């Protein structure tokens, strides 16, 4: 399950990778075509309707908006191609077809059940004797996808189709059919079986989704009532899950599905925290962004922009004097990366590797940042990370009246001081071997790869495979190191692999050896190919 979640999280990164450019386009386009902003600063001559810049900026906003509006389809294609072991292109195409088929079947079944656009409005349910709240919840179950009347399953529908199509691709990409149907064998069979599967899913969803939707809404309401306490645990556990890369499998559910809340924006029901923020961003009538939409990500601004750079400074000040010059350049680069872009891995995995207690404190402080900013009703959005670039676009440019961003700046200095003194004190008190401390000559920042390779000797792995001269081909899939050897008898026994080399399992067939290492498999492949 752990390995499957890692793979799923990795596949989520494919569709999520498009969000930064979409967010920048929408952020810049919406900000500089806002009539109130233009009138306030007297920029009608430059940015008003009919000007060239207005055409360009409004087009940018439209591009960003359509990408966010198409996220369910983007997730379906991205996850299918990301999880497919073979024929990724066919998987992506099949997922797109399957997504459309699923929603068309849902619409057809809803019609058979008597649910139409006219019979799924709040007014209609009120006429049937429901209370205002019951009618609103019931009507929120139904909506449109790609112009088709369907249920509001949103990104979750894309995730389901993406996973199902990937499984079918991995199973049937080399399927052989009888001679008379041989044209449809292999990769051509994938879209066929995908359409059938999507049709079945589409036929089932109308019967179960209303109950699931209401259940998710109830849970989201309950989680919302936990207030800052619940958000603290959310931020804390997301940072801990980052160690294993599992956060990528969790936070999209809060960002893009009803698990992250629902809100009506510009007359449309929007699901998911980030979707809510960008829907409000695109709506010129928005006077104040909702903290309920941004609470699942904005807490990261304090540790990423202020906390971790201060931790880097603490590591620099505690480094051995003769190594400070070398350490300074490395830590400054990592701190600047965190501040500008919110990419924190170079710093985080450095102290995770040598001092896990520092990472635990970092996770606690990040959880507190989430809780405090939410309690202060700060509402600054993000695209993917939380550096000064996103802060400028979705905080400063939008204005304090809409975002309450000033609290991030006010709390930034205390956050930096806390990180600095906590890290410095613990490093000195427990003599933690952060960069530039200790007898080792090498001074470096550690990466996720270093953390995963801890206590692993690549030469021992090669020796267990029979030595360099025994290696014919070395490859890897998501979880397995796949090796073709010249003499299978030279490969170490299973007990050696599991006890000494930390393998989770070994599979052998002829001269082929597959060693299960989870996410480490790809790293081992690369390291072996470097030295073999």
């Amino acid at each position: 399950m752990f390995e499957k979640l890692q793979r799923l999280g990795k596949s989520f990164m494919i569709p999520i990778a498009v969000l930064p450019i979409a967010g920048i386009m929408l952020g810049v386009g919406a900000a500089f075509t806002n009539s109130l902003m233009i009138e306030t600063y007297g920029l009608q001559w430059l940015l008003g309707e009919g000007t060239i810049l207005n055409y360009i900026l409004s087009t940018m906003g439209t591009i960003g908006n359509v990408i966010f509006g198409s996220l369910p389809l983007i997730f379906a294609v991205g996850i299918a191609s990301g999880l497919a072991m073979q024929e990724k292109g066919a998987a992506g195409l099949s997922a797109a077809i399957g997504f459309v088929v699923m929603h068309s079947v849902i619409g057809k079944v809803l019609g058979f059940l008597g649910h139409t656009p006219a019979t799924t409005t709040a007014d209609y349910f009120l006429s049937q004797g429901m209370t205002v709240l019951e009618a609103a919840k019931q009507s929120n179950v139904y909506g449109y996808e790609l112009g088709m009347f369907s249920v509001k399953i949103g990104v979750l529908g894309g995730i389901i189709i993406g996973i199902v199509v990937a499984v079918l691709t991995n199973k049937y990409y080399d399927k052989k059919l009888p001679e008379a149907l041989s044209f449809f064998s292999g990769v051509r069979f994938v879209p066929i079986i995908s359409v059938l599967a999507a049709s079945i899913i589409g036929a089932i969803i109308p019967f179960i989704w209303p109950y699931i939707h209401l259940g998710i809404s109830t849970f989201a309401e309950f989680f919302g009532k936990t207030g800052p306490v619940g958000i603290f645990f959310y931020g804390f556990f997301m940072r801990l899950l980052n160690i294993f890369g599992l956060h990528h499998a969790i936070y999209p559910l809060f960002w893009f599905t009803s698990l992250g809340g629902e809100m009506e924006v510009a007359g449309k029901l929007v699901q998911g925290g980030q979707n809510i923020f960008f829907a409000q961003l695109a709506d010129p009538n928005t006077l104040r962004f909702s903290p309920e939409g941004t609470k699942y990500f904005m807490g990261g601004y304090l540790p990423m922009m202020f906390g971790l750079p201060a931790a880097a400074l603490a590591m620099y000040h505690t480094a051995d004097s003769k190594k400070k010059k070398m350490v300074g350049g490395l830590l400054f680069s990592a701190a600047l990366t965190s501040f500008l872009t919110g990419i924190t891995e170079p710093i985080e995995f450095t102290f995770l590797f040598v001092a896990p207690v520092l990472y635990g404190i970092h996770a606690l402080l990040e959880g507190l940042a989430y809780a405090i900013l939410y309690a202060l009703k700060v509402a600054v959005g993000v695209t993917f990370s939380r550096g000064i670039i996103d802060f400028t676009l979705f905080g400063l440019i939008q204005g304090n009246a809409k975002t309450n961003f000033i609290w991030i700046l006010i709390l930034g200095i205390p956050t930096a001081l806390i990180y600095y003194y906590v890290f410095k004190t613990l490093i000195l008190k427990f003599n933690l071997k952060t960069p530039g401390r200790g007898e080792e000559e090498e001074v470096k920042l550690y990466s996720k790869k270093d953390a995963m390779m801890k206590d692993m000797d690549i030469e021992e792995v090669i020796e267990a495979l029979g030595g360099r001269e025994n290696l014919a081909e070395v490859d890897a899939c998501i979880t397995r190191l796949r090796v073709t050897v010249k003499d299978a008898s030279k490969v170490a026994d299973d007990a050696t692999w599991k006890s000494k080399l930390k393998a989770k399992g070994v599979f052998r067939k002829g001269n082929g050896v597959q060693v299960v290492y989870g996410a480490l498999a790809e790293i081992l492949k690369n390291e072996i190919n470097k030295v073999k």
Side-chain angles (χ1 to χ4, degrees):
M1 180 59 68
F2 175 80
E3 292 170 2
K4 289 177 180 177
L5 282 173
Q6 280 191 318
R7 287 176 57 198
L8 181 61
K10 186 176 180 180
S11 71
F12 276 164
M13 296 309 298
I14 298 173
I16 287 174
V18 76
L19 297 186
I21 185 61
I24 289 171
M25 285 191 166
L26 182 55
V28 172
F32 290 102
T33 57
N34 184 283
S35 58
L36 180 61
M37 189 276 289
I38 294 172
E39 290 174 10
T40 301
Y41 295 100
L43 296 175
Q44 291 89 341
W45 61 275
L46 181 64
L47 300 173
E49 290 187 17
T51 63
I52 294 176
L53 278 178
N54 185 270
Y55 290 140
I56 294 172
L57 291 167
S58 60
T59 301
M60 289 174 61
T62 299
I63 292 170
N65 212 15
V66 77
I67 290 175
F68 280 102
S70 304
L71 279 180
L73 177 60
I74 293 172
F75 266 83
V77 175
I79 290 173
S81 58
L83 289 178
M85 302 292 193
Q86 306 287 339
E87 303 295 346
K88 292 179 178 291
L93 176 61
S94 300
I97 297 170
F99 183 82
V100 174
V101 168
M102 178 186 74
H103 278 287
S104 65
V105 172
I106 290 173
K108 206 70 175 174
V109 174
L110 288 176
F112 295 152
L113 296 174
H115 300 308
T116 67
T119 62
T120 53
T121 64
D123 288 340
Y124 175 82
F125 289 121
L126 280 171
S127 70
Q128 300 301 303
M130 291 186 180
T131 65
V132 173
L133 181 60
E134 290 172 340
K137 285 186 175 182
Q138 197 64 42
S139 65
N140 286 345
V141 173
Y142 308 95
Y144 288 86
E145 191 67 60
L146 299 179
M148 296 177 285
F149 179 66
S150 184
V151 294
K152 288 182 178 176
I153 195 170
V155 166
L156 186 58
I159 293 172
I160 292 171
I161 286 294
I163 293 173
V164 169
V165 170
V167 171
L168 294 175
T169 302
N170 293 334
K171 185 173 183 178
Y172 294 112
Y173 75 93
D174 58 352
K175 175 73 174 179
K176 289 181 172 57
L177 297 177
E179 188 66 28
L181 301 173
S182 60
F183 175 80
F184 300 105
S185 295
V187 69
R188 298 184 185 91
F189 187 68
V190 173
I192 296 173
I193 193 68
S194 297
V195 165
L196 294 175
S199 301
I200 295 172
I201 293 170
I204 295 173
I205 283 176
F207 294 97
I208 64 172
W209 180 249
Y211 304 103
I212 296 174
H213 181 102
L214 293 173
I216 293 174
S217 296
T218 301
F219 174 80
E221 289 174 6
F222 167 77
F223 188 78
K225 290 177 181 177
T226 63
V229 175
I231 294 302
F232 163 80
F233 284 107
Y234 173 85
F236 172 70
F237 284 115
M238 285 299 104
R239 186 49 54 191
L240 290 184
L241 289 173
N242 181 60
I243 298 172
F244 311 104
L246 295 183
H247 63 305
H248 292 307
I250 305 299
Y251 76 77
L253 300 178
F254 288 88
W255 286 23
F256 306 117
T257 77
S258 55
L259 193 61
E262 299 176 332
M263 185 173 295
E264 185 175 306
V265 182
K268 296 181 179 179
L269 186 76
V270 182
Q271 299 175 336
Q274 194 177 62
N275 287 340
I276 290 171
F277 175 81
F278 281 103
Q280 291 186 319
L281 182 65
D283 181 11
N285 297 315
T286 297
L287 299 177
R288 179 80 167 84
F289 294 117
S290 171
E292 296 302 319
T294 60
K295 65 184 180 182
Y296 297 107
F297 42 74
M298 68 177 172
Y301 277 114
L302 289 177
M304 291 178 181
M305 287 175 54
F306 301 98
L308 289 175
L313 182 62
M315 287 188 275
Y316 169 74
H317 283 161
T318 55
D320 297 340
S321 56
K322 62 181 180 180
K323 296 179 181 178
K324 277 190 175 180
K325 185 175 181 180
M326 189 182 302
V327 165
L330 292 171
L331 289 174
F332 176 77
S333 174
L336 185 62
T337 299
S338 179
F339 178 76
L340 290 176
T341 68
I343 296 173
T344 59
E345 182 180 301
I347 297 178
E348 287 180 329
F349 279 86
T350 292
F351 59 78
L352 169 66
F353 187 74
V354 298
V357 65
L358 293 179
Y359 195 91
I361 291 171
H362 167 48
L364 285 170
L365 291 174
E366 181 153 333
L368 284 172
Y370 270 80
I372 292 170
L373 290 183
Y374 175 57
L376 293 172
K377 301 188 183 305
V378 180
V380 179
V382 306
T383 52
F384 172 70
S385 200
R386 280 134 287 196
I388 190 63
I389 297 174
D390 274 9
F391 180 72
T392 300
L393 283 172
F394 308 116
L396 293 177
I397 290 178
Q398 307 306 322
N400 190 61
K402 294 177 74 172
T403 64
N404 215 13
F405 72 78
I406 194 67
W407 280 109
I408 293 178
L409 298 179
I410 291 172
L411 295 173
I413 294 176
T415 299
L417 291 173
I418 291 170
Y419 267 83
Y420 176 81
Y421 284 108
V422 167
F423 272 63
K424 183 178 180 179
T425 300
L426 291 177
I427 289 170
L428 294 176
K429 183 175 180 61
F430 296 104
N431 194 26
L432 302 176
K433 303 303 180 183
T434 48
R437 292 175 59 80
E439 299 301 322
E440 73 281 356
E441 292 299 320
E442 184 180 23
V443 175
K444 62 179 287 188
L445 293 173
Y446 289 91
S447 67
K448 189 177 293 187
K449 181 185 83 170
D450 297 317
M452 296 179 73
M453 286 289 289
K454 186 180 180 182
D455 300 329
M456 286 289 293
D457 188 334
I458 198 66
E459 292 297 334
E460 290 184 356
V461 175
I462 293 174
E463 187 63 29
L465 291 168
R468 285 178 172 78
E469 66 283 352
N470 198 41
L471 302 178
E473 183 178 354
V474 181
D475 201 352
C477 64
I478 297 295
T479 60
R480 299 185 185 191
L481 179 66
R482 297 173 179 264
V483 184
T484 301
V485 296
K486 298 173 183 176
D487 185 353
S489 65
K490 294 182 178 180
V491 178
D493 58 29
D494 290 9
T496 300
W497 282 108
K498 293 179 179 179
S499 61
K500 186 178 180 182
L501 298 173
K502 302 180 181 179
K504 298 179 178 67
V506 184
F507 300 88
R508 308 165 190 262
K509 187 174 182 180
N511 286 347
V513 180
Q514 296 182 19
V515 189
V516 180
Y517 269 115
L520 185 57
E522 183 73 19
I523 295 173
L524 287 174
K525 178 202 78 172
N526 294 333
E527 295 299 310
I528 292 173
N529 283 329
K530 283 180 185 177
V531 300
K532 77 171 184 177

